[in-house]
């Protein structure tokens, strides 16, 4: 049984569905109080009611609104993300900026907002949902790969600064997770690679895996719960891979 989560205030971005919702449910099951942050307020409200949490309806692309707030949370999970698939020469600059904003600048702004409270109390957990693409590159995902590589570096810098104050910072690096975002990539991947949608899973998404299946959201959520717990007090500046052997 993990300890130290009961009563802890946890903020998870992109928390209304998919991987975010799985993490929220898992941590709530360990006794944490969840703040479900998402631009879809109705979906966030529904989940918050289910787990006795609360909702923060927020479009995180509105970065100006994140420059002044202070967050009084014990655990921050930077999870919100999007994906665009295209060759570099065809990649729309606006789409590139959108991905870097949401998946690199926003984690910086939220961490910046959360650290003063964490430092005052001498305790905090920053958990950044990265990706195998934070460690390895794939073609046609230049913005996503760039954002996740940047998040890895930012997470390590946070670990160095936060350590003396009792704050840990780690990345979680899943392969392809069974979520709506991954399922939505099938059509784009098929068009970009010039293959049928049915072949994308086998020849693209799982081609490098030793275990030929998608990662389940609850598997990622279980690791996140560990990193948020007392048992992970000495784990910081690390990147935890769940990729079925892709990176072996």
């Amino acid at each position: 049984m993990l300890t130290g989560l009961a009563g802890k205030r946890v903020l998870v971005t992109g928390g209304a569905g998919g991987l975010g919702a799985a993490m929220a449910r898992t941590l709530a099951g360990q006794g944490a109080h969840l703040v479900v942050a998402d631009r879809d307020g109705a979906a966030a409200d529904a989940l918050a009611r289910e787990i006795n949490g609360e909702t923060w309806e927020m479009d995180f692309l509105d970065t100006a609104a994140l420059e002044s707030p202070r967050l009084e949370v014990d655990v921050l999970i930077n999870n919100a993300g999007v994906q665009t698939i295209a060759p570099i020469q065809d990649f729309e600059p606006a789409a590139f900026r959108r991905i870097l904003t949401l998946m690199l600048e926003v984690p910086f702004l939220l961490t910046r907002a959360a650290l003063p409270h964490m430092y005052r109390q001498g305790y905090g957990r920053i958990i950044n949902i990265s990706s195998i693409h934070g460690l390895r590159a794939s073609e046609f995902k230049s913005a996503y790969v760039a954002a996740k590589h940047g998040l890895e570096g930012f997470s390590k810098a946070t670990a160095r600064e936060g350590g003396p104050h009792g704050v840990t910072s780690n990345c979680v690096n899943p392969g392809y997770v069974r979520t709506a975002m991954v399922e939505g990539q099938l059509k784009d991947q098929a068009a970009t690679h010039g293959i049928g949608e049915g072949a994308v899973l086998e020849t693209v998404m799982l081609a490098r895996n030793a275990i030929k299946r998608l990662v389940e959201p609850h598997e990622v959520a279980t690791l996140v719960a560990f990193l948020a717990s007392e048992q992970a007090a000495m784990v910081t500046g690390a990147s935890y891979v769940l990729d079925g052997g892709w990176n072996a």
Side-chain angles (χ1 to χ4, degrees):
M1 181 69 179
L2 298 174
T3 58
L5 290 171
K8 289 292 189 289
R9 187 173 173 85
V10 179
L11 170 64
V12 55
T13 67
L19 183 53
M23 292 186 290
R25 289 187 176 101
T26 296
L27 288 163
Q30 295 285 334
H33 177 82
L34 268 294
V35 180
V36 182
D38 205 286
R39 67 178 181 177
D40 187 342
D45 278 339
L47 179 59
R49 287 194 299 271
E50 175 192 330
I51 61 176
N52 295 316
E54 60 185 273
T55 301
W56 182 18
E57 183 176 355
M58 179 67 191
D59 181 357
F60 287 105
L61 289 173
D62 181 12
T63 54
L66 299 176
E67 292 183 4
S68 57
R70 288 291 177 257
L71 298 176
E72 294 196 356
V73 297
D74 305 303
V75 180
L76 170 63
I77 303 174
N78 289 308
N79 168 68
V82 292
Q83 180 63 280
T84 296
I85 297 171
I88 293 171
Q89 68 272 20
D90 298 328
F91 215 106
E92 291 293 335
F96 195 97
R97 287 190 292 268
R98 177 174 178 246
I99 288 175
L100 261 66
T101 296
L102 185 59
M103 297 195 299
L104 183 54
E105 184 180 357
V106 169
F108 154 70
L109 290 170
L110 293 177
T111 300
R112 176 178 179 269
L115 285 179
H117 169 73
M118 292 180 177
Y119 283 3
R120 283 194 301 272
Q121 68 180 7
Y123 172 90
R125 299 283 190 266
I126 308 292
I127 302 172
N128 297 301
I129 305 306
S130 182
S131 164
I132 194 64
H133 286 111
L135 306 174
R136 295 289 181 266
S138 290
E139 60 272 30
F140 311 127
K141 295 183 176 182
S142 56
Y144 190 89
V145 170
K148 294 300 189 183
H149 271 68
L151 184 62
E152 295 283 327
F154 175 68
S155 184
K156 289 176 172 62
T158 305
R160 297 295 301 181
E161 292 188 26
H165 304 279
V167 176
T168 66
S169 175
N170 294 286
C171 283
V172 174
N173 301 70
Y176 288 100
V177 183
R178 192 185 302 280
T179 64
M181 187 172 81
V182 167
E183 290 172 353
Q185 289 183 42
L186 292 174
K187 184 176 181 179
D188 289 342
Q189 289 269 23
T192 303
H193 286 274
I195 59 178
E197 289 185 36
V200 170
L201 193 63
E202 180 180 351
T203 64
V204 178
M205 291 184 172
L206 302 181
R208 301 176 187 176
N209 282 34
I211 301 173
K212 300 293 186 180
R213 67 168 176 83
L214 297 174
V215 182
E216 296 297 337
H218 73 85
E219 294 173 315
V220 181
T222 299
L223 175 55
V224 168
F226 164 70
L227 292 174
S229 73
E230 287 183 342
Q231 283 83 352
M234 280 295 287
V235 179
T236 196
S239 299
Y240 275 78
V241 175
L242 297 90
D243 67 350
W246 179 352
N247 199 45

